[in-house]
Amino acid sequence: MSNDWVTRQTLLQRAKNPDDHQAWDEFISYYENFIQVLIYKMNYTGQDTDDLTQVILVNLWKNLANYDKEKASFRNWMGAVIRNTTYNYYRKQSNIAKREKEGMADFLESMPESDLDELIEREWKTYISELALKKMRELFSGKAVEVFELSLKGISSEEISERVDLKKDSVYVLKNRVKKKFMEEVRALVAELEY
Amino acid sequence: MGKSDNNRSEGLLDLFDMAMDESDEKEGLSPLFSTLEASEKRYLDPELINSGGMKTISRVFDAVTGRYIAMAKLHEGAPKETYDPFICEARLTGLLEHPNIISIHDMGIDEDQTPFFTMELKQGDDLRKIISQKHSGNLEYLEKYPLNSVLEIFLKVCDAIAYAHSKGVVHLDIKPGNIQVGEFGEVQVCDWGLGKIIGKQDSSSNVEMFNPDWLNSMTLTGEIKGTPGYMAPEQVKDGKEKNETTDIYALGCLLYTILTNSSPIDGGTDEILEVTTTGRMIPPAQRFPKLNVPHSLSAVVMKAVSLDQNERYDSVIALRKEVYNYLAGFATSAENASFLRGLTLLYKRNKLICNVTFILSLVIIIGSAQFIINLNKKTAEAIAAGQEADEARKKAESLLIENQNEQKRVAALGIQKDLIQKTIIQQIDYSKPIKSVADKVADFENRPPGDAQMNILSEYYYIQQRYREVYELNKDREKPYYLFKHAPKFIDVPRTKSGLLNIDDFFKSILHFNLRQRDMLEKAMVWDTANRKNFQGYEKVVKLVLSGWNNGLKDSTFDYSPSTKSLSLSGADFKILGTEDMADNRNSLLAPLDLVSLDIRNTQIHDLSQLRGLNNLKELDVRHTLVPDLEPLNQLPAIEKVIVLPKQFSARQIKVLKPSIQVLVQD
């Protein structure tokens, strides 16, 4: 078991290998949704969202081999790949359906690179957190996750204890239990999905 | 909705960052400060429970461990200079790991950027409350905390302070208020705020943490350096070293308070400090003569609070030993115990053994005394018995002498030796009394005359109611036979057809036999019965003969019913109904009555063979008698029924009876 853990490669390490199809499938499952959300956030209104997503995924896949941890953080690197791929894709497509893409052109041109990077990073974090939260729903039963989610919305423990009809002590305990596990999960996902 | 979602994603992002930060912290990059800040969320719902000179103690909920604990904080707005001494107190306390020293859980910086530390929260009272409740006469406390149990608390305080001293820490503020007593006897010394590291200690552990320079500088702040009344003189006056003996002084004051339920020194602060510095504390036993303060402990207190530090106990352990000795019942060294005191204490600490020994000794003494008394009594009895025996022997001797005299007399009369033998003189065949007596008379008539011959002949003439012959035989004798003087009365009285005296006259005539001659009585009756035809009124003869053989029948009843021929005897005097083991064909003395029914209840009659001759007896009641054997009843020809008590005889004893005899079992 511990040996497995030691020799185990992260998804991205495995994804570097072009012949590892299972890794590719996993890569797709994790990143596809994120990229689609991102495209939506970038006001891309084209009919071929799926196409763009595929192009970005393939670009990420191809460039993984060239990623150098020393030069940039994974999130910044990923942001750059997504941004550039989207620009290029947009330029290629602009002649064909310029009007359609007007919304996105405005968005991309009006936004500085740093802001875009920030957006991507923010979405990435949110995406990972949601994944972790989903896992929490599987892990915990009863009111634990409900308490945790209510606390995320900034609701006071007193109010939570009233809403879910639990003692205040229990609210603290449940909240902290889920929170602890949640943070562990976040760290695990980051370790897996970031290089 | 939108706002809520925003909040939610903000919360998620915060958590994401936090998760990543913590992972970074593991790598040692994040400052300690950030984790201390997080404690804001760990301790919730503070509730003030105590407030002291420098700090407040609150009860808080520890969300991490899920329990209530105590949190100490500086007073609000406390100056920054007090932060370090505060942290120092926590560190100092934290270093002392002992069951009787409050333990520190955690410390840190609160959200308001002030330091705090947490420690265990004890349910219970502090010693000050216990003592004040005892002082005001609260029965519950007086019962729950008698002197000895508070002294045991004191021992635990000594343990804690002795441990601290071994680690080079002095408390310098020992007082009842700083001692927590739990519900179940847990004792904890709190508030090490004035605690101080003393430099000379060995560096066995935690050298860096115990660096005296570092810690001692922290305690220079606060103005109050102790509690008046418990403070040692060296704490009041600067210039002398505060060391272990300073704590010993305070422990002495604490002991004082425990013994008297009052502060060691009364009065205002100035007065107290004056008494402290001059060492004029009044010994507890002297100040409270009515409290019965143990003198030994009063002496211990006064030694501990000596003005001169060198005169106090050398160590807390030495002080503890004194109190322990008191509790265990040994003399304390401070009281310079006398032999008697030592003996008293020996008794006190071995009460059970002493009491048992005492009781056993008492039992042995009483037992021995009883034994000796009994022995004396027995000896006296033995002597009395001896005397009795002696008397009996003398009596026997006198009888023997008498007998010997008789023998001499007989011998002098020239009678052959065998003639004086009782059997030969007296023996007759009771089944043939007429012939047998006649033979005796003939025998003795033919013997050469002499006193014995004439006496014996006189007796038999008398039995044959030949009173004239008795008279004739004795009238010329120098020493006539004793019956001679009675004989003339009966010479001329009317006689029955058979030539016998009337029953009344016969009764009178045999009255003159003396008791030594009771065999003569029996012979006279048997001879008379053999000749007589009408026995009406004969019962008084029978009664007379019986009384001759049964102690005179003083306390007995003889109840005869002629119509039913039934006789009822009762009384302890009745023992014999037939004489001389029924030898020589004797019949029962009751035989002349020709009884049909006999009741011998409540007599001491034991031998039923003495009923021989009761040839018409049909019914016998043997209840409450000493009869051991029913078998002789088989010899009674007419017997039909015997009345016995339940369990008086075994089945086997009853079985020996003839089948014709009915055994009636009655209560």
Side-chain angles (χ1 to χ4, degrees):
Chain A
M1 188 77 181
S2 60
N3 217 27
D4 286 352
W5 188 81
V6 169
T7 57
R8 183 174 177 252
Q9 289 182 305
T10 65
L11 173 62
L12 291 187
Q13 279 170 330
R14 287 186 291 134
K16 274 183 173 182
N17 179 1
D19 297 326
D20 192 338
H21 292 289
Q22 198 193 337
W24 167 248
D25 288 343
E26 254 183 77
F27 180 83
I28 298 294
S29 76
Y30 276 117
Y31 287 86
E32 192 174 23
N33 286 338
F34 167 65
I35 289 163
Q36 280 182 345
V37 169
L38 203 58
I39 291 168
Y40 173 74
K41 290 269 178 181
M42 290 192 294
N43 284 352
Y44 181 76
T45 52
Q47 301 297 311
D48 47 0
T49 310
D50 288 349
D51 189 34
L52 175 57
T53 304
Q54 285 301 314
V55 172
I56 292 171
L57 280 172
V58 170
N59 268 344
L60 277 174
W61 182 260
K62 280 183 191 163
N63 286 303
L64 258 180
N66 303 324
Y67 169 61
D68 184 354
K69 200 178 178 179
E70 304 286 306
K71 287 181 183 165
S73 80
F74 176 77
R75 268 172 258 161
N76 286 344
W77 171 82
M78 182 172 68
V81 172
I82 294 169
R83 191 180 62 236
N84 292 334
T85 309
T86 310
Y87 270 131
N88 291 336
Y89 185 80
Y90 171 67
R91 282 185 196 117
K92 266 191 246 169
Q93 302 291 317
S94 62
N95 297 327
I96 301 163
K98 196 177 177 178
R99 281 183 191 170
E100 287 177 49
K101 315 300 184 281
E102 231 167 357
M104 185 171 184
D106 290 348
F107 176 79
L108 287 174
E109 275 155 17
S110 66
M111 181 173 269
E113 275 189 21
S114 60
D115 283 6
L116 188 63
D117 284 348
E118 203 175 294
L119 173 78
I120 292 170
E121 169 145 1
R122 186 187 167 87
E123 287 309 318
W124 175 247
K125 284 179 181 176
T126 305
Y127 176 69
I128 298 243
S129 298
E130 290 291 353
L131 277 179
L133 196 58
K134 198 177 152 198
K135 186 78 177 287
M136 293 307 105
R137 291 197 189 97
E138 291 163 15
L139 275 178
F140 288 95
S141 57
K143 293 172 174 170
V145 180
E146 189 184 349
V147 167
F148 178 66
E149 285 190 90
L150 286 170
S151 77
L152 285 178
K153 289 176 184 170
I155 294 163
S156 71
S157 295
E158 286 82 356
E159 204 183 328
I160 294 174
S161 78
E162 277 172 32
R163 279 210 210 174
V164 299
D165 193 24
L166 278 174
K167 281 201 293 180
K168 213 164 131 190
D169 294 0
S170 308
V171 168
Y172 291 133
V173 172
L174 288 178
K175 187 179 81 182
N176 283 313
R177 201 180 285 165
V178 178
K179 181 173 148 188
K180 188 165 172 266
K181 197 76 194 165
F182 173 82
M183 300 208 304
E184 276 175 24
E185 181 65 19
V186 166
R187 285 194 286 271
L189 284 170
V190 166
E192 188 79 356
L193 300 179
E194 296 187 13
Y195 198 79
Chain B
M1 178 73 187
K3 194 186 174 231
S4 173
D5 273 352
N6 261 349
N7 280 346
R8 182 173 172 279
S9 59
E10 287 300 327
L12 272 178
L13 287 176
D14 283 349
L15 278 179
F16 184 95
D17 289 339
M18 202 188 288
M20 298 324 288
D21 281 348
E22 277 184 25
S23 76
D24 286 349
E25 184 213 330
K26 277 177 188 166
E27 294 162 30
L29 295 173
S30 195
L32 186 68
F33 191 81
S34 66
T35 48
L36 290 181
E37 232 181 1
S39 64
E40 168 210 358
K41 288 166 190 168
R42 178 172 176 180
Y43 302 112
L44 304 149
D45 304 337
E47 187 184 308
L48 188 70
I49 51 176
N50 202 355
S51 179
M54 278 180 63
K55 56 185 184 284
T56 57
I57 311 287
S58 307
R59 177 176 173 272
V60 296
F61 179 77
D62 179 353
V64 173
T65 54
R67 62 179 174 178
Y68 284 96
I69 54 170
M71 177 185 267
K73 290 198 72 173
L74 284 163
H75 284 308
E76 222 171 299
K80 282 224 167 185
E81 299 87 74
T82 59
Y83 285 14
D84 280 0
F86 179 81
I87 294 170
C88 177
E89 178 191 345
R91 292 247 157 110
L92 190 75
T93 314
L95 288 171
L96 300 172
E97 288 172 50
H98 188 273
N100 298 124
I101 294 174
I102 191 99
S103 57
I104 300 295
H105 290 324
D106 185 19
M107 60 184 297
I109 297 165
D110 216 341
E111 52 193 332
D112 58 0
Q113 303 299 308
T114 58
F116 72 89
F117 64 85
T118 62
M119 55 201 162
E120 53 193 309
L121 179 71
K122 280 288 171 187
Q123 307 289 330
D125 299 321
D126 64 33
L127 194 55
R128 181 179 51 190
K129 182 175 178 195
I130 291 171
I131 284 168
S132 73
Q133 289 297 319
K134 280 186 73 177
H135 182 74
S136 58
N138 184 328
L139 277 179
E140 188 195 330
Y141 280 81
L142 284 170
E143 224 164 80
K144 193 173 172 189
Y145 297 105
L147 178 61
N148 279 8
S149 98
V150 185
L151 286 176
E152 283 179 12
I153 292 171
F154 180 79
L155 290 184
K156 289 178 182 174
V157 173
C158 286
D159 289 339
I161 303 299
Y163 166 81
H165 288 181
S166 80
K167 294 283 172 189
V169 176
V170 288
H171 188 284
L172 298 183
D173 194 16
I174 300 167
K175 58 178 178 180
N178 284 341
I179 291 153
Q180 277 288 326
V181 179
E183 285 286 306
F184 303 99
E186 316 97 297
V187 174
Q188 289 193 319
V189 179
C190 318
D191 199 354
W192 293 73
L194 293 183
K196 188 169 167 330
I197 298 284
I198 32 187
K200 65 185 180 188
Q201 292 303 314
D202 63 53
S203 50
S204 54
S205 61
N206 292 321
V207 185
E208 315 92 289
M209 297 304 278
F210 275 104
N211 183 336
D213 292 337
W214 176 65
L215 271 173
N216 284 349
S217 64
M218 313 282 187
T219 55
L220 289 175
T221 47
E223 279 150 24
I224 302 164
K225 291 177 194 158
T227 306
Y230 295 90
M231 277 165 81
E234 63 267 24
Q235 280 174 292
V236 179
K237 272 186 182 172
D238 272 343
K240 277 182 184 167
E241 192 196 359
K242 299 181 216 31
N243 56 20
E244 292 97 327
T245 61
T246 312
D247 277 347
I248 289 170
Y249 183 97
L251 285 171
C253 293
L254 179 64
L255 184 56
Y256 194 118
T257 307
I258 287 169
L259 293 174
T260 61
N261 296 328
S262 307
S263 298
I265 308 167
D266 274 338
T269 307
D270 290 345
E271 234 170 296
I272 290 173
L273 294 181
E274 166 73 13
V275 172
T276 304
T277 48
T278 52
R280 290 201 317 261
M281 197 184 284
I282 308 163
Q286 195 179 319
R287 186 164 151 218
F288 298 97
K290 284 180 186 170
L291 279 181
N292 279 331
V293 174
H295 281 273
S296 54
L297 291 182
S298 187
V300 169
V301 168
M302 295 321 288
K303 182 171 163 70
V305 299
S306 298
L307 192 58
D308 182 349
Q309 287 174 264
N310 294 324
E311 282 175 18
R312 298 176 198 157
Y313 287 96
D314 291 342
S315 64
V316 178
I317 293 172
L319 169 60
R320 182 196 191 280
K321 189 158 184 279
E322 294 280 57
V323 178
Y324 176 80
N325 280 349
Y326 166 78
L327 281 175
F330 291 92
T332 60
S333 69
E335 68 176 319
N336 296 321
S338 67
F339 173 72
L340 186 63
R341 175 79 183 133
L343 208 61
T344 315
L345 291 170
L346 176 73
Y347 169 70
K348 277 187 177 172
R349 66 177 176 264
N350 294 312
K351 254 184 191 162
L352 181 64
I353 293 173
C354 286
N355 285 343
V356 168
T357 310
F358 177 72
I359 289 167
L360 282 180
S361 306
L362 206 62
V363 166
I364 290 168
I365 290 168
I366 291 172
S368 306
Q370 189 67 41
F371 176 75
I372 290 166
I373 290 168
N374 282 348
L375 197 64
N376 285 341
K377 213 166 147 188
K378 284 270 157 57
T379 310
E381 277 171 12
I383 290 168
Q387 283 169 346
E388 234 168 71
D390 214 32
E391 275 167 26
R393 188 172 50 78
K394 279 179 187 161
K395 210 170 173 183
E397 273 171 3
S398 70
L399 281 175
L400 188 66
I401 289 165
E402 213 170 81
N403 195 21
Q404 281 168 349
N405 288 342
E406 181 84 0
Q407 283 176 33
K408 280 178 191 164
R409 216 165 58 225
V410 170
L413 292 169
I415 300 171
Q416 284 176 355
K417 267 190 178 176
D418 55 355
L419 287 183
I420 61 169
Q421 282 175 4
K422 191 182 172 188
T423 48
I424 294 168
I425 298 169
Q426 297 181 340
Q427 197 170 24
I428 60 165
D429 183 348
Y430 287 85
S431 61
K432 304 167 189 161
I434 298 171
K435 181 182 179 296
S436 199
V437 170
D439 287 349
K440 285 286 176 194
V441 168
D443 180 9
F444 280 92
E445 280 178 340
N446 292 326
R447 292 190 188 211
D451 274 354
Q453 176 260 346
M454 279 193 272
N455 285 348
I456 292 164
L457 199 52
S458 300
E459 279 175 2
Y460 282 111
Y461 283 148
Y462 204 94
I463 287 167
Q464 288 180 315
Q465 302 179 17
R466 293 160 69 177
Y467 305 107
R468 186 172 298 275
E469 280 83 349
V470 176
Y471 175 76
E472 292 296 334
L473 191 60
N474 287 285
K475 63 175 184 188
D476 298 325
R477 292 179 68 193
E478 255 181 58
K479 284 182 180 177
Y481 187 58
Y482 78 98
L483 287 171
F484 157 74
K485 55 187 174 188
H486 304 296
K489 291 182 229 171
F490 305 104
I491 293 171
D492 293 322
V493 296
R495 300 234 169 186
T496 65
K497 285 174 193 170
S498 326
L500 300 174
L501 291 180
N502 293 324
I503 289 172
D504 281 352
D505 289 333
F506 175 63
F507 177 76
K508 282 175 196 162
S509 79
I510 59 173
L511 261 181
H512 297 300
F513 287 121
N514 62 35
L515 279 179
R516 275 210 293 138
Q517 305 249 309
R518 55 190 183 181
D519 58 325
M520 300 298 289
L521 263 178
E522 183 185 8
K523 277 183 199 139
M525 181 179 77
V526 170
W527 187 88
D528 182 76
T529 306
N531 289 289
R532 197 174 291 276
K533 303 280 184 284
N534 186 354
F535 289 89
Q536 198 176 351
Y538 206 72
E539 60 267 19
K540 64 177 174 186
V541 176
V542 173
K543 188 181 175 185
L544 176 67
V545 177
L546 275 177
S547 70
W549 286 90
N550 290 291
N551 201 26
L553 297 182
K554 288 170 197 131
D555 294 316
S556 303
T557 58
F558 178 99
D559 192 0
Y560 177 69
S561 162
S563 56
T564 57
K565 293 197 170 181
S566 62
L567 175 65
S568 171
L569 306 176
S570 74
D573 285 337
F574 278 114
K575 288 176 185 164
I576 293 169
L577 296 179
T579 66
E580 304 286 339
D581 289 335
M582 308 302 280
D584 304 324
N585 302 315
R586 278 179 170 84
N587 278 333
S588 174
L589 299 176
L590 300 176
L593 293 179
D594 195 24
L595 294 171
V596 171
S597 155
L598 176 62
D599 177 359
I600 55 171
R601 278 182 294 171
N602 301 309
T603 64
Q604 294 202 52
I605 291 162
H606 56 279
D607 186 357
L608 293 186
S609 64
Q610 295 176 358
L611 297 181
R612 188 162 67 198
L614 297 178
N615 291 335
N616 286 316
L617 188 67
K618 289 180 178 166
E619 188 178 317
L620 175 68
D621 192 338
V622 297
R623 290 176 291 172
H624 305 291
T625 62
L626 300 175
V627 173
D629 184 10
L630 294 173
E631 205 270 337
L633 294 183
N634 289 336
Q635 307 301 320
L636 299 179
I639 190 77
E640 288 171 358
K641 183 160 89 179
V642 57
I643 302 169
V644 299
L645 277 177
K647 295 178 181 173
Q648 189 180 2
F649 299 97
S650 71
R652 216 167 96 193
Q653 284 175 308
I654 288 171
K655 218 174 164 187
V656 300
L657 289 174
K658 288 189 294 191
S660 58
I661 304 174
Q662 181 197 355
V663 178
L664 199 65
V665 181
Q666 278 180 12
D667 254 330

